[in-house]
Amino acid sequence: MALKQKGTDAAADPKKRRRVGFSGIDAGVEANECMKVFIARNPDEAGSANSTSLQPFDLNHFFGEDGKIYGYKNLKINVWISAISFHAYADISFEETSDGGKGITNLKPVLQNIFGENLVEKDEFLKTFSKECEYLSNVVTDGNVIKYGASIDEDSAVEIVRVELQGAAAFLYCRLVPLILLLVEGSTPIDITEHGWEMLLVVKKSAQASSSSNFLVLGFAAVHHFYHYPESTRLRISQILVLPPYQGEGHGLRLLETINSISESENIYDVTIEDPSDYLQYIRSSIDCLRLLTFDPIKPALCSMVSSLKETNLSKRTSSLKMVPPSDLAETVRQKLKINKKQFLRCWEILIYLNLDAEDRKSMDNFRACIYDRIKGEILGTSTGPNGKRLVQMPSNFDEETCFAVYWTQDGGDADDQTVEQQPEDLKTQEQQLNEVVDSQMEEIVEVAKNVTSRGKDKLSVSCSV
């Protein structure tokens, strides 16, 4: 048997001292790494990792400034949300806790801040699949089913129901808030006590007699009607969400088409979207471009613009061409299709691109030159000489290549107030940044154009043929 080497008595040798060790400060764990969220459509899926997993855009921002959880070893947080009642329960497991210098994160108030009163214990959570199955039926019964002409194959079991955000519908919205916070970046709950709120629900009738509920919520949109002088109403889409298990089935498209149908039938002034995501804007522009392709009043101006781009030579930048529609045309589009001016101008450029030959280098260069001039005008203004807007690169610890300032200069000021002339390197950086923005917008235009082409080939056949 091997013997362990005996240690030397430190007291016998005063030159030797015992070493004192310090444990490292707890580095914490990011919430995104240890927390998962699932949706359960029946009691059997509750507590199972085989349930449909949701992909929250960011869980870290719920946990303090650095998004980390401290004091736990091998922490796992699994949360299940009921697809019937939208209650939730959390299963938290870890090996041990210890204060590593940053304290021990109290998980309960953070989870309650996300899920509110929806967060319950597991036993109560399982009971909600049978106890809470009628309230959704009551919301649907009290609402109005919207008939619409969808551009995709319809599922007869799927309906869009319009409800005012009060009573049972307001109660349902409150239960949906955690999903909004988890899945929609930068979202905040709306104030349902404010007058004018409605909700459009995409629901599906259950085909199973044994189902715990007659309906499933597939998605929804919260819209607000507000006054427009002198006697009209504008409609703003504040939130729109299709639940992850049902995404990719065209329900978001149906919601937008239904909102457009409502705005036209009720003579709404126009429709806007509050801070849309890139993907939502992509879908919206695709829908509006398809509507505009069959809108006869825009064709003369559109064909004239396309012809000018094909015939004009902008390569030497000695001439300019503004790619904008007549002002009265934007008003006609708003009145008839309820597309607001900003959205129409975005679609106008896409419609022009659709009517150009991508292989025609001259017309494509002219098109890009017009996009460049527009963006430059929006950022720097159109003034020349000492007056006008200026863009200068600014030092920053974040990203020195993408940080800049825009400021306004004027004639006639004191010498101390005059702006220092831009150096060649500043102008070069400015040009590079502008081209990057132009390239990004060109990519967006091309992507929407591809989608419109694939969905509206019959409509493209009757567009400009100049």
Side-chain angles (χ1 to χ4, degrees), residues 25-81:
I25 296 178
D26 185 2
V29 59
E30 292 188 357
N32 287 335
E33 297 178 358
C34 65
M35 182 173 174
K36 294 183 179 180
V37 183
F38 305 89
I39 191 162
R41 285 172 282 195
N42 55 62
D44 294 335
E45 292 183 353
S48 171
N50 295 325
S51 305
T52 302
S53 176
L54 305 184
Q55 299 297 325
F57 71 91
D58 182 21
L59 291 167
N60 288 349
H61 83 281
F62 293 109
F63 292 84
E65 294 182 359
D66 60 0
K68 291 186 175 182
I69 302 172
Y70 296 97
Y72 297 87
K73 181 179 179 181
N74 293 333
L75 174 66
K76 293 182 179 179
I77 306 172
N78 291 326
V79 180
W80 282 267
I81 300 175

Side-chain angles (χ1 to χ4, degrees), residues 386-387 409-418:
N387 280 349
T409 62
Q410 295 180 342
D411 280 335
D414 295 333
D416 291 341
D417 295 332
Q418 297 304 307

Side-chain angles (χ1 to χ4, degrees), residues 109-175:
V110 179
L111 294 175
Q112 286 183 331
N113 188 45
I114 302 172
F115 299 99
E117 296 181 357
N118 295 355
L119 190 64
V120 296
E121 297 297 330
K122 184 174 182 179
D123 289 343
E124 184 177 352
F125 177 78
L126 294 174
K127 292 178 182 178
T128 62
F129 284 93
S130 56
K131 291 173 57 179
E132 299 284 343
C133 62
E134 293 300 326
Y135 86 99
L136 182 54
S137 299
N138 294 335
V139 173
V140 173
T141 302
D142 293 340
N144 296 316
V145 177
I146 304 296
K147 302 296 182 182
Y148 60 95
S151 59
I152 57 176
D153 295 335
E154 295 184 25
D155 183 343
S156 60
V158 176
E159 297 178 342
I160 292 185
V161 182
R162 184 182 183 184
V163 296
E164 293 186 18
L165 270 181
Q166 58 185 13
F171 186 59
L172 171 59
Y173 173 80
C174 292
R175 290 190 174 183

